[in-house]
Protein backbone atom coordinates (compact mmCIF):
# COMPACT_ATOMS: atom_id res chain seq x y z
CA UNK A 1 0.00 0.00 0.00
CA UNK A 2 1.14 3.51 -0.73
CA UNK A 3 1.51 6.22 1.87
CA UNK A 4 -0.97 9.04 1.18
CA UNK A 5 1.75 11.48 0.12
CA UNK A 6 2.99 9.07 -2.55
CA UNK A 7 -0.27 9.62 -4.43
CA UNK A 8 0.44 13.38 -4.54
CA UNK A 9 3.62 13.07 -6.64
CA UNK A 10 1.76 12.50 -9.94
CA UNK A 11 -0.22 15.68 -9.28
CA UNK A 12 2.99 17.63 -8.69
CA UNK A 13 4.71 16.03 -11.67
CA UNK A 14 2.13 17.57 -14.01
CA UNK A 15 3.97 20.88 -13.60
CA UNK A 16 7.38 19.50 -14.58
CA UNK A 17 6.82 16.55 -16.90
CA UNK A 18 8.35 16.91 -20.37
CA UNK A 19 9.74 20.36 -19.64
CA UNK A 20 13.27 21.72 -19.67
CA UNK A 21 14.45 23.87 -16.76
CA UNK A 22 17.55 26.01 -17.10
CA UNK A 23 18.44 25.56 -13.44
CA UNK A 24 17.23 24.20 -10.14
CA UNK A 25 15.61 27.52 -9.24
CA UNK A 26 13.35 27.36 -12.29
CA UNK A 27 12.35 23.80 -11.42
CA UNK A 28 11.60 24.78 -7.84
CA UNK A 29 9.44 27.69 -9.01
CA UNK A 30 7.38 25.36 -11.19
CA UNK A 31 6.91 22.87 -8.35
CA UNK A 32 6.07 25.64 -5.89
CA UNK A 33 3.48 27.08 -8.27
CA UNK A 34 1.86 23.69 -8.71
CA UNK A 35 1.85 23.10 -4.96
CA UNK A 36 0.08 26.43 -4.39
CA UNK A 37 -2.63 25.36 -6.85
CA UNK A 38 -2.99 22.00 -5.13
CA UNK A 39 -3.05 23.63 -1.71
CA UNK A 40 -6.15 25.62 -2.75
CA UNK A 41 -7.88 22.52 -4.16
CA UNK A 42 -8.30 20.54 -0.96
CA UNK A 43 -10.93 18.27 -2.46
CA UNK A 44 -8.51 17.09 -5.15
CA UNK A 45 -5.88 16.32 -2.51
CA UNK A 46 -8.45 14.60 -0.33
CA UNK A 47 -9.57 12.35 -3.21
CA UNK A 48 -5.97 11.29 -3.80
CA UNK A 49 -4.85 10.84 -0.21
CA UNK A 50 -7.75 10.04 2.12
CA UNK A 51 -7.92 6.24 2.28
CA UNK A 52 -10.82 4.58 4.05
CA UNK A 53 -8.39 2.26 5.85
CA UNK A 54 -6.08 5.05 7.11
CA UNK A 55 -6.34 5.53 10.90
CA UNK A 56 -8.69 8.39 11.68
CA UNK A 57 -9.72 8.87 8.05
CA UNK A 58 -13.44 9.06 8.77
CA UNK A 59 -13.01 12.06 11.07
CA UNK A 60 -10.33 13.83 9.01
CA UNK A 61 -11.06 17.20 7.49
Amino acid sequence: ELQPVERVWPLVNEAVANRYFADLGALMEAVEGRWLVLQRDRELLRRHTLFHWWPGAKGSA
Side-chain angles (χ1 to χ4, degrees), residues 18-48:
N18 299 315
R19 289 183 56 194
Y20 169 79
F21 296 94
D23 56 29
L24 182 59
L27 171 64
M28 295 303 290
E29 284 181 28
V31 170
E32 179 183 12
R34 180 63 177 152
W35 182 248
L36 291 173
V37 169
L38 292 173
Q39 190 176 20
R40 288 188 296 266
D41 192 348
R42 291 180 179 239
E43 184 56 36
L44 177 64
L45 287 175
R46 191 172 287 119
R47 284 193 314 263
H48 281 80

Side-chain angles (χ1 to χ4, degrees), residues 1-10 48-49 51 53-54:
E1 297 290 336
L2 294 175
Q3 295 292 321
V5 75
E6 292 180 71
R7 301 219 20 219
V8 174
W9 300 139
H48 281 80
T49 60
F51 303 117
W53 49 264
W54 195 259

